[in-house]
Amino acid sequence: MTDLEPVNESWSNALCVVAHPDDLEFGTAAAVARWTDQGKTVRYVMVTSGEAGIDGMTPEECLPVREAEQVESARIVGVDVVDFLRLPDGVLEYGAGLRAAIARSVRVFRPDIVITSNFRDTWGGPNLNQADHIAVGRAVLDAVRDAGNRWVFADQLVDGLEPWGGVRAVWAFGSPQATHAVDTTDTFEAGVASLLAHSAYIDGLGWEHFDPREFLEGFSRPVGQRLGVAFAAPFEVFPMGWGG
Ligand SMILES: [Zn+2]
């Protein structure tokens, strides 16, 4: 059954805003590789540096390791800019502070499309989503509007920084309410390589027999079937401008 629509790819500049290093690599990176291959610009903002993500490492030890892995995983899929906001991993709270931090990034990078990860309560089955993902996704939706309003977070508008109201849509990757998808068949291997760049993190998870390729295949194949291709990545699309 092909019930997912292809995403609209008539844009040139996307900003991916996620809570943690590795969030994009668990399924979105192959889509990013497709877009950078098409000549589009994609940049990443990590709200935290994932420093609370490895049980056997202190946050101080962990932060530079995870930032370095993220920079490398981005490079593999053609992303040269990774901005780390360094808010505290694991305890993000939805609110004006988080919205302001994300709105600033939107004003700086002036994207057409903003991509975040699923912020619904679950991933579709019984598996609960994580608190930081939910806080960031909700804040992204609001921050995109905040960024366009010169009277909201007006203190940011110095040194030439201007409001940016040009975001056409927010796409939430991996949402159980996905309506759209993008074909990742041709760039699937780049997506695997991008996830493999998070080796310290993957080792630290201690998931026995975790195989990144198998994981991404298992995730991408059923989505591909719903789009009529081999592999695909799913998105819930939130139109932000008038007329979507
Ligand atoms: Zn995460």
Side-chain angles (χ1 to χ4, degrees):
M1 182 173 89
T2 54
D3 63 332
L4 296 175
E5 270 185 64
V7 293
N8 182 341
E9 292 181 296
S10 63
W11 49 270
S12 56
N13 185 355
L15 183 65
C16 300
V17 182
V18 293
H20 312 117
D22 78 72
D23 287 352
L24 291 164
E25 287 69 38
F26 277 93
T28 328
V32 171
R34 168 187 171 98
W35 294 324
T36 58
D37 279 358
Q38 290 171 348
K40 301 183 196 309
T41 301
V42 181
R43 300 186 179 100
Y44 289 177
V45 170
M46 299 291 125
V47 176
T48 83
S49 294
E51 71 276 8
I54 301 181
D55 189 61
M57 287 177 93
T58 67
E60 294 72 28
E61 292 169 332
C62 189
L63 183 142
V65 172
R66 300 218 61 201
E67 288 192 353
E69 288 188 345
Q70 184 60 53
V71 168
E72 174 60 10
S73 68
R75 188 194 61 74
I76 289 168
V77 293
V79 174
D80 301 328
V81 175
V82 185
D83 198 15
F84 296 94
L85 302 184
R86 294 190 174 168
L87 293 176
D89 184 16
V91 291
L92 291 179
E93 290 187 68
Y94 172 84
L98 186 56
R99 281 167 54 184
I102 297 169
R104 174 189 288 280
S105 295
V106 172
R107 286 168 168 173
V108 168
F109 294 116
R110 303 169 77 83
D112 309 310
I113 299 292
V114 174
I115 294 167
T116 189
S117 61
N118 170 33
F119 54 91
R120 301 290 183 186
D121 289 341
T122 71
W123 293 97
N127 292 329
L128 289 174
N129 203 344
Q130 195 269 352
D132 288 348
H133 301 163
I134 295 169
V136 167
R138 294 198 57 80
V140 162
L141 283 183
D142 293 327
V144 162
R145 291 188 183 168
D146 298 336
N149 184 334
R150 76 171 57 254
W151 310 116
V152 174
F153 308 131
D155 59 307
Q156 295 178 357
L157 301 176
V158 293
D159 300 329
L161 194 64
E162 291 287 335
W164 176 248
V167 177
R168 285 151 44 185
V170 172
W171 296 353
F173 167 75
S175 167
Q177 297 179 42
T179 50
H180 291 68
V182 61
D183 183 352
T184 54
T185 309
D186 291 344
T187 49
F188 182 79
E189 289 305 322
V192 172
S194 189
L195 178 54
L196 284 168
H198 290 279
S199 60
Y201 177 68
I202 292 169
D203 289 350
L205 287 172
W207 292 346
E208 234 181 306
H209 312 306
F210 177 68
D211 179 335
R213 179 185 309 273
E214 221 171 83
F215 171 87
L216 290 174
E217 279 187 18
F219 176 84
S220 307
R221 187 174 283 118
V223 183
Q225 279 171 0
R226 293 175 61 195
L227 188 67
V229 299
F231 296 130
F235 295 92
E236 184 173 2
V237 170
F238 299 89
M240 300 306 289
W242 296 109

